[in-house]
Amino acid sequence: MAYACISSLMQTLQQVLQSKSSLICESSIQQKHVESCYQSLCTLQVFLEDTTNEANDIENLKILERKIKDVVYKAEDRVDSCLTNIILADDQEKACKFFNEELRQVETEFASLNKEVMVIELNKRGSKSTELAATTSFSSTEETTYVGMKNDYKAILNCLNVQTKELIVISLVGMGGIGKTTLARKVFDNSTIRDRFEKHAWVTISEQYNKRQMLLEVAFSITGINNQEMSNDELMVIVYRSLKGRRFLIVIDDLWSTDAWDQMRRIFQNDNNKSRIILTTRLKHVADYASSPDFPPREVSFLSFKDSWKLFTKRLFRKDRCPPQLRKIGKHIIQQCQGLPLSIIVIAGLLRKIGVTYDNWKKIEENLKSFHGSVLEQCQAILSLSYNYLPPYLKACFLYIGGFPEDMEIRVSKMMSSWIAEQFIKATSDKRLEVVAEEYVQELMDRSLILGKTRKPNGRFKTCKIHDLLRQLCIREAQRENVVHFPYSDHVPTYSDDINDRRRVMIPFLIEDYFCDHPSQMSGKITTRSLIFMGVGRSYQVPEINHWPDSISDFKLLKVLDAREIGYDFSHIIPQLVHLRYIDARIEDPSSLAKLFNLQTIIVYSRRNVQLPAEIWTMSEIKHVDIEQMFMPNPLSIEEQQPLFLNNLQTLALDSSPFLAEILKRTPNVDKLKIRAANTHNEWSDFVDCLINLQRLEKLSITATEDNRPCILSSSFYAPTLKHLRLGYTSLPWEDMDVLANLPNLEVLKADSAFDGTDWTLNEDVVFQKLKYLRIWSADDLERWEAASDSFPMLEQLVLQNLEELEEIPQSFGEIMTLKLVQVEYCNPAVDTSARNILQEQQGWGNCELQIEIVPSLQYDL
């Protein structure tokens, strides 16, 4: 993956040029060589960007990319090894001299490579076609793909509505990508159908069946309980009792074995009350085995050509028609998809991105004509073609997604932070890396390579998913390109036993097995840059007597260590890993972090209260800090002539401390702040006073403890840029809501057991000018809420949870025409009724977009 490795080395060289650390050699000769190497990499990067979409040269470009990748990888190994020696060496002068010699060699190799690139540039033939770029942002969500499923949809509804009282299991069977999950989702989300059932749950099984994960999903869907400490038996009892005697609708998505079905079937009892189960599977024998006798499996059909064309044009042009000059060639392209919805959606995403011109579509048509085989083979060819047409800056990001567990809803924030840590994101002068990463996510969605799932209150995607077939493509290509290695993957037929050459390794929960299987790999020069331990529904705790993780200290060039899942103390390992940029792990001795001056992200926790080293205040590269059961040191304790500031710090999550106000004064550019155990040290008033100085703060979360809750929100609680505020367990009086209304840019407010009192009355002059999302959770004694519609002129979503005493939602909310969603969970039935009344009033005003979602309280659920 040439572009990704170029980007990685460029960021390293840039850091060397900008470094003020005495650990890096100060030499004008060295600087000259570093600058020369950096400029050569810039030239190579521009070349790859300019040639990526020339379809006629894809194979030749791949060959050249591999050559560039090999040269740059070796250069990066040399540079990083030299920097390691400089930092750890006793004789730095000797280490610096060797570094200069290596830089000269790298410089020569880059010059030779650039000459080859220049020859190719000069020999290019033809001219590029004029392209009409598609600029419309298009979110690839499942809701837009309901085309050609009318017969299947009606057949399932008929099965659900049949008068048989016995529990019925309805199976949907078909190959991957044919639309089984989409069809099941359409039925599951049908409000008329949902109203007929008291309990609903959606469970995704996947090929690697995980009984515990299944139980956790069912328990959470049905009861709202997500307790990782419960045993499997306890979870089964909760699920059984919650479903007993109640009519339920369960969707079991992506079932792969009869054994998995046998284990699941036991918790879904037949109470002869018209309960229903819908399951999807690719395997006919599984569908036959699970289906009820009188309801044979429903084989999901391929789309007709008419429906295929309708889906294609809907995805590509939305409500517009296909231009007449493109219809004939477009229909030829659709014929190659053979009625498989996934192929159609992906090819539409590709055509939208490369440009809606005849020449571009002709290139795609010619590529597809060369592929022959079954529907599945044709689909794989289409997916590969879409991958080949990705711009170089997106390829590594896309392949990286294959490392997340199958069928997992991936947190977008986690995915983006991983890309940044891996140095996949191209730095620009006018945008932060996080902004660029979000643009990459949107572009992958526009190409239908990932699906947006749940959204945040601000409308941005919180989670996403990748289709199984696309994930398999990621795994194959990532292995072949040596971008990421996925041990124990069924989709990697063979792989080298030598870890030394693997740049990034994502290890599943079979962690100890991996190191035991490869004992010989821990010798020699290891060039691995990332070790990521992936959990699948549970953490893999390493026994304290087991010391196999100690071998990680041999990974001298490691830049990313994501090891939270294994719960091992890495304190004695990380001092040797001087290149670390990202660490997420358990650390019992924080002094081990003191010399890791390249760190940009610190996510660490301890099992006892400890303090980070004072050197944290000298780590100018740090952007993200999230510490649990740890404390930031007092910045005033550092003996320096000039005050120390962490000006690059963007996110800070920490337990409260006596020095909190001083810490915030020295982190002026924080935009996300999370404080746990607020006011434990009676620092509340000092903290509130310094909020106004955080001129970039957009998101703030404050959680108090039962014994140390803030008493009041004074008028000094003011943050002019704040958009998102969460208060938890603060026990404030409802009158303090007036203070929050003064926050001029507040869009999201989450009050989680945050306010006490039986009455909440908002005067007419109290207005939340920009508030779009309001959540109130567990206000145990709130009975009466009075507010005018003018107090919430921009409100779009109202979420009320666990309000057992509340008498009703203010009737005036029926006049808020911006409302899109009212969600009521486990509240007084009177609140449910008032939500329905608001819906009727809104519909009377012409607001047909408003939706209400009600989950009845268990206390009143009969």
Side-chain angles (χ1 to χ4, degrees), residues 638-660:
I638 313 297
E639 296 183 3
E640 293 284 341
Q641 293 182 348
Q642 298 293 329
L644 296 174
F645 291 83
L646 296 179
N647 289 321
N648 287 323
L649 191 67
Q650 299 169 14
T651 61
L652 176 61
L654 74 168
D655 295 336
S656 188
S657 84
F659 323 118
L660 181 59

PDB file of all heavy atoms in Angstrom, residues 638-660:
ATOM      1  N   ILE A 638       6.263  21.382  38.129  1.00  0.00           N
ATOM      2  CA  ILE A 638       7.351  21.236  37.164  1.00  0.00           C
ATOM      3  C   ILE A 638       8.247  22.463  37.245  1.00  0.00           C
ATOM      4  O   ILE A 638       7.784  23.595  37.097  1.00  0.00           O
ATOM      5  CB  ILE A 638       6.811  21.090  35.727  1.00  0.00           C
ATOM      6  CG1 ILE A 638       5.681  20.060  35.696  1.00  0.00           C
ATOM      7  CG2 ILE A 638       7.937  20.721  34.772  1.00  0.00           C
ATOM      8  CD1 ILE A 638       6.108  18.681  36.085  1.00  0.00           C
ATOM      9  N   GLU A 639       9.520  22.243  37.477  1.00  0.00           N
ATOM     10  CA  GLU A 639      10.466  23.351  37.583  1.00  0.00           C
ATOM     11  C   GLU A 639      10.958  23.750  36.203  1.00  0.00           C
ATOM     12  O   GLU A 639      11.905  23.185  35.664  1.00  0.00           O
ATOM     13  CB  GLU A 639      11.634  22.959  38.485  1.00  0.00           C
ATOM     14  CG  GLU A 639      11.224  22.690  39.927  1.00  0.00           C
ATOM     15  CD  GLU A 639      12.424  22.370  40.820  1.00  0.00           C
ATOM     16  OE1 GLU A 639      13.560  22.424  40.297  1.00  0.00           O
ATOM     17  OE2 GLU A 639      12.222  22.065  41.995  1.00  0.00           O
ATOM     18  N   GLU A 640      10.285  24.706  35.626  1.00  0.00           N
ATOM     19  CA  GLU A 640      10.647  25.226  34.307  1.00  0.00           C
ATOM     20  C   GLU A 640      10.609  26.741  34.354  1.00  0.00           C
ATOM     21  O   GLU A 640       9.840  27.344  35.117  1.00  0.00           O
ATOM     22  CB  GLU A 640       9.673  24.717  33.240  1.00  0.00           C
ATOM     23  CG  GLU A 640       9.737  23.231  32.989  1.00  0.00           C
ATOM     24  CD  GLU A 640      10.953  22.826  32.152  1.00  0.00           C
ATOM     25  OE1 GLU A 640      11.514  23.706  31.483  1.00  0.00           O
ATOM     26  OE2 GLU A 640      11.304  21.634  32.180  1.00  0.00           O
ATOM     27  N   GLN A 641      11.458  27.365  33.533  1.00  0.00           N
ATOM     28  CA  GLN A 641      11.489  28.822  33.505  1.00  0.00           C
ATOM     29  C   GLN A 641      10.193  29.392  32.938  1.00  0.00           C
ATOM     30  O   GLN A 641       9.697  30.413  33.394  1.00  0.00           O
ATOM     31  CB  GLN A 641      12.678  29.311  32.672  1.00  0.00           C
ATOM     32  CG  GLN A 641      14.031  28.983  33.306  1.00  0.00           C
ATOM     33  CD  GLN A 641      15.177  29.514  32.480  1.00  0.00           C
ATOM     34  OE1 GLN A 641      15.013  29.932  31.352  1.00  0.00           O
ATOM     35  NE2 GLN A 641      16.373  29.513  33.073  1.00  0.00           N
ATOM     36  N   GLN A 642       9.653  28.721  31.914  1.00  0.00           N
ATOM     37  CA  GLN A 642       8.425  29.167  31.290  1.00  0.00           C
ATOM     38  C   GLN A 642       7.281  28.223  31.663  1.00  0.00           C
ATOM     39  O   GLN A 642       7.481  27.022  31.781  1.00  0.00           O
ATOM     40  CB  GLN A 642       8.587  29.207  29.758  1.00  0.00           C
ATOM     41  CG  GLN A 642       9.648  30.173  29.272  1.00  0.00           C
ATOM     42  CD  GLN A 642       9.260  31.619  29.539  1.00  0.00           C
ATOM     43  OE1 GLN A 642       8.080  31.963  29.547  1.00  0.00           O
ATOM     44  NE2 GLN A 642      10.260  32.455  29.788  1.00  0.00           N
ATOM     45  N   PRO A 643       6.066  28.759  31.841  1.00  0.00           N
ATOM     46  CA  PRO A 643       4.920  27.881  32.116  1.00  0.00           C
ATOM     47  C   PRO A 643       4.734  26.884  30.975  1.00  0.00           C
ATOM     48  O   PRO A 643       4.951  27.200  29.809  1.00  0.00           O
ATOM     49  CB  PRO A 643       3.744  28.863  32.197  1.00  0.00           C
ATOM     50  CG  PRO A 643       4.360  30.191  32.479  1.00  0.00           C
ATOM     51  CD  PRO A 643       5.705  30.173  31.808  1.00  0.00           C
ATOM     52  N   LEU A 644       4.335  25.674  31.323  1.00  0.00           N
ATOM     53  CA  LEU A 644       4.165  24.618  30.333  1.00  0.00           C
ATOM     54  C   LEU A 644       2.688  24.502  29.941  1.00  0.00           C
ATOM     55  O   LEU A 644       1.806  24.486  30.801  1.00  0.00           O
ATOM     56  CB  LEU A 644       4.662  23.287  30.902  1.00  0.00           C
ATOM     57  CG  LEU A 644       6.158  23.245  31.214  1.00  0.00           C
ATOM     58  CD1 LEU A 644       6.502  21.935  31.911  1.00  0.00           C
ATOM     59  CD2 LEU A 644       6.978  23.386  29.952  1.00  0.00           C
ATOM     60  N   PHE A 645       2.455  24.420  28.626  1.00  0.00           N
ATOM     61  CA  PHE A 645       1.103  24.291  28.101  1.00  0.00           C
ATOM     62  C   PHE A 645       1.051  23.119  27.124  1.00  0.00           C
ATOM     63  O   PHE A 645       2.002  22.895  26.372  1.00  0.00           O
ATOM     64  CB  PHE A 645       0.673  25.563  27.361  1.00  0.00           C
ATOM     65  CG  PHE A 645       0.473  26.744  28.254  1.00  0.00           C
ATOM     66  CD1 PHE A 645       1.544  27.528  28.649  1.00  0.00           C
ATOM     67  CD2 PHE A 645      -0.789  27.065  28.726  1.00  0.00           C
ATOM     68  CE1 PHE A 645       1.365  28.623  29.478  1.00  0.00           C
ATOM     69  CE2 PHE A 645      -0.983  28.161  29.549  1.00  0.00           C
ATOM     70  CZ  PHE A 645       0.095  28.941  29.929  1.00  0.00           C
ATOM     71  N   LEU A 646      -0.056  22.383  27.151  1.00  0.00           N
ATOM     72  CA  LEU A 646      -0.297  21.345  26.154  1.00  0.00           C
ATOM     73  C   LEU A 646      -1.238  21.933  25.108  1.00  0.00           C
ATOM     74  O   LEU A 646      -2.446  21.684  25.103  1.00  0.00           O
ATOM     75  CB  LEU A 646      -0.894  20.097  26.812  1.00  0.00           C
ATOM     76  CG  LEU A 646       0.004  19.378  27.823  1.00  0.00           C
ATOM     77  CD1 LEU A 646      -0.716  18.161  28.414  1.00  0.00           C
ATOM     78  CD2 LEU A 646       1.307  18.935  27.181  1.00  0.00           C
ATOM     79  N   ASN A 647      -0.693  22.704  24.202  1.00  0.00           N
ATOM     80  CA  ASN A 647      -1.514  23.456  23.250  1.00  0.00           C
ATOM     81  C   ASN A 647      -2.146  22.583  22.181  1.00  0.00           C
ATOM     82  O   ASN A 647      -3.116  22.990  21.535  1.00  0.00           O
ATOM     83  CB  ASN A 647      -0.671  24.555  22.588  1.00  0.00           C
ATOM     84  CG  ASN A 647      -0.349  25.684  23.554  1.00  0.00           C
ATOM     85  OD1 ASN A 647      -1.192  26.065  24.349  1.00  0.00           O
ATOM     86  ND2 ASN A 647       0.873  26.181  23.514  1.00  0.00           N
ATOM     87  N   ASN A 648      -1.592  21.376  21.969  1.00  0.00           N
ATOM     88  CA  ASN A 648      -2.146  20.477  20.949  1.00  0.00           C
ATOM     89  C   ASN A 648      -3.213  19.538  21.499  1.00  0.00           C
ATOM     90  O   ASN A 648      -3.840  18.796  20.740  1.00  0.00           O
ATOM     91  CB  ASN A 648      -1.030  19.648  20.309  1.00  0.00           C
ATOM     92  CG  ASN A 648      -0.157  20.471  19.382  1.00  0.00           C
ATOM     93  OD1 ASN A 648      -0.659  21.350  18.685  1.00  0.00           O
ATOM     94  ND2 ASN A 648       1.141  20.215  19.379  1.00  0.00           N
ATOM     95  N   LEU A 649      -3.417  19.563  22.809  1.00  0.00           N
ATOM     96  CA  LEU A 649      -4.373  18.643  23.418  1.00  0.00           C
ATOM     97  C   LEU A 649      -5.795  19.007  22.997  1.00  0.00           C
ATOM     98  O   LEU A 649      -6.239  20.143  23.169  1.00  0.00           O
ATOM     99  CB  LEU A 649      -4.256  18.677  24.943  1.00  0.00           C
ATOM    100  CG  LEU A 649      -5.011  17.566  25.683  1.00  0.00           C
ATOM    101  CD1 LEU A 649      -4.392  16.212  25.378  1.00  0.00           C
ATOM    102  CD2 LEU A 649      -5.014  17.813  27.183  1.00  0.00           C
ATOM    103  N   GLN A 650      -6.510  18.001  22.453  1.00  0.00           N
ATOM    104  CA  GLN A 650      -7.869  18.218  21.951  1.00  0.00           C
ATOM    105  C   GLN A 650      -8.922  17.566  22.831  1.00  0.00           C
ATOM    106  O   GLN A 650     -10.000  18.123  23.025  1.00  0.00           O
ATOM    107  CB  GLN A 650      -7.989  17.668  20.525  1.00  0.00           C
ATOM    108  CG  GLN A 650      -7.065  18.327  19.527  1.00  0.00           C
ATOM    109  CD  GLN A 650      -7.024  17.594  18.206  1.00  0.00           C
ATOM    110  OE1 GLN A 650      -7.867  16.743  17.918  1.00  0.00           O
ATOM    111  NE2 GLN A 650      -6.040  17.891  17.387  1.00  0.00           N
ATOM    112  N   THR A 651      -8.643  16.363  23.320  1.00  0.00           N
ATOM    113  CA  THR A 651      -9.608  15.670  24.169  1.00  0.00           C
ATOM    114  C   THR A 651      -8.943  15.295  25.483  1.00  0.00           C
ATOM    115  O   THR A 651      -7.803  14.821  25.505  1.00  0.00           O
ATOM    116  CB  THR A 651     -10.161  14.400  23.490  1.00  0.00           C
ATOM    117  OG1 THR A 651      -9.085  13.493  23.226  1.00  0.00           O
ATOM    118  CG2 THR A 651     -10.840  14.740  22.185  1.00  0.00           C
ATOM    119  N   LEU A 652      -9.689  15.483  26.575  1.00  0.00           N
ATOM    120  CA  LEU A 652      -9.169  15.187  27.897  1.00  0.00           C
ATOM    121  C   LEU A 652     -10.283  14.555  28.722  1.00  0.00           C
ATOM    122  O   LEU A 652     -11.352  15.137  28.902  1.00  0.00           O
ATOM    123  CB  LEU A 652      -8.676  16.479  28.567  1.00  0.00           C
ATOM    124  CG  LEU A 652      -8.175  16.357  30.014  1.00  0.00           C
ATOM    125  CD1 LEU A 652      -6.977  15.409  30.103  1.00  0.00           C
ATOM    126  CD2 LEU A 652      -7.810  17.733  30.565  1.00  0.00           C
ATOM    127  N   ALA A 653     -10.040  13.332  29.193  1.00  0.00           N
ATOM    128  CA  ALA A 653     -10.983  12.619  30.059  1.00  0.00           C
ATOM    129  C   ALA A 653     -10.212  12.173  31.294  1.00  0.00           C
ATOM    130  O   ALA A 653      -9.198  11.470  31.179  1.00  0.00           O
ATOM    131  CB  ALA A 653     -11.585  11.421  29.329  1.00  0.00           C
ATOM    132  N   LEU A 654     -10.675  12.583  32.475  1.00  0.00           N
ATOM    133  CA  LEU A 654      -9.902  12.303  33.686  1.00  0.00           C
ATOM    134  C   LEU A 654     -10.789  12.345  34.912  1.00  0.00           C
ATOM    135  O   LEU A 654     -11.893  12.911  34.890  1.00  0.00           O
ATOM    136  CB  LEU A 654      -8.758  13.303  33.830  1.00  0.00           C
ATOM    137  CG  LEU A 654      -9.091  14.742  34.257  1.00  0.00           C
ATOM    138  CD1 LEU A 654      -7.826  15.483  34.622  1.00  0.00           C
ATOM    139  CD2 LEU A 654      -9.865  15.513  33.223  1.00  0.00           C
ATOM    140  N   ASP A 655     -10.296  11.731  35.995  1.00  0.00           N
ATOM    141  CA  ASP A 655     -10.936  11.873  37.290  1.00  0.00           C
ATOM    142  C   ASP A 655     -10.578  13.242  37.844  1.00  0.00           C
ATOM    143  O   ASP A 655      -9.494  13.779  37.582  1.00  0.00           O
ATOM    144  CB  ASP A 655     -10.451  10.780  38.245  1.00  0.00           C
ATOM    145  CG  ASP A 655     -10.861   9.392  37.780  1.00  0.00           C
ATOM    146  OD1 ASP A 655     -11.852   9.296  37.037  1.00  0.00           O
ATOM    147  OD2 ASP A 655     -10.181   8.422  38.139  1.00  0.00           O
ATOM    148  N   SER A 656     -11.486  13.800  38.600  1.00  0.00           N
ATOM    149  CA  SER A 656     -11.258  15.133  39.137  1.00  0.00           C
ATOM    150  C   SER A 656     -10.037  15.141  40.059  1.00  0.00           C
ATOM    151  O   SER A 656      -9.616  14.101  40.582  1.00  0.00           O
ATOM    152  CB  SER A 656     -12.498  15.604  39.906  1.00  0.00           C
ATOM    153  OG  SER A 656     -12.359  16.945  40.274  1.00  0.00           O
ATOM    154  N   SER A 657      -9.463  16.325  40.238  1.00  0.00           N
ATOM    155  CA  SER A 657      -8.278  16.452  41.090  1.00  0.00           C
ATOM    156  C   SER A 657      -8.254  17.843  41.700  1.00  0.00           C
ATOM    157  O   SER A 657      -8.929  18.762  41.210  1.00  0.00           O
ATOM    158  CB  SER A 657      -7.006  16.200  40.275  1.00  0.00           C
ATOM    159  OG  SER A 657      -6.586  17.377  39.614  1.00  0.00           O
ATOM    160  N   PRO A 658      -7.449  18.035  42.749  1.00  0.00           N
ATOM    161  CA  PRO A 658      -7.344  19.366  43.357  1.00  0.00           C
ATOM    162  C   PRO A 658      -6.755  20.399  42.401  1.00  0.00           C
ATOM    163  O   PRO A 658      -6.920  21.597  42.605  1.00  0.00           O
ATOM    164  CB  PRO A 658      -6.410  19.129  44.555  1.00  0.00           C
ATOM    165  CG  PRO A 658      -6.436  17.663  44.800  1.00  0.00           C
ATOM    166  CD  PRO A 658      -6.669  17.030  43.478  1.00  0.00           C
ATOM    167  N   PHE A 659      -6.073  19.907  41.344  1.00  0.00           N
ATOM    168  CA  PHE A 659      -5.396  20.816  40.411  1.00  0.00           C
ATOM    169  C   PHE A 659      -6.193  21.004  39.122  1.00  0.00           C
ATOM    170  O   PHE A 659      -5.650  21.457  38.120  1.00  0.00           O
ATOM    171  CB  PHE A 659      -4.004  20.270  40.061  1.00  0.00           C
ATOM    172  CG  PHE A 659      -3.297  19.598  41.190  1.00  0.00           C
ATOM    173  CD1 PHE A 659      -2.962  18.256  41.119  1.00  0.00           C
ATOM    174  CD2 PHE A 659      -2.989  20.288  42.359  1.00  0.00           C
ATOM    175  CE1 PHE A 659      -2.327  17.616  42.167  1.00  0.00           C
ATOM    176  CE2 PHE A 659      -2.352  19.659  43.411  1.00  0.00           C
ATOM    177  CZ  PHE A 659      -2.023  18.318  43.316  1.00  0.00           C
ATOM    178  N   LEU A 660      -7.481  20.633  39.136  1.00  0.00           N
ATOM    179  CA  LEU A 660      -8.251  20.625  37.900  1.00  0.00           C
ATOM    180  C   LEU A 660      -8.248  21.988  37.210  1.00  0.00           C
ATOM    181  O   LEU A 660      -8.034  22.078  35.989  1.00  0.00           O
ATOM    182  CB  LEU A 660      -9.690  20.184  38.185  1.00  0.00           C
ATOM    183  CG  LEU A 660     -10.622  20.116  36.967  1.00  0.00           C
ATOM    184  CD1 LEU A 660     -10.088  19.140  35.931  1.00  0.00           C
ATOM    185  CD2 LEU A 660     -12.037  19.728  37.390  1.00  0.00           C
TER     186      LEU A 660
END
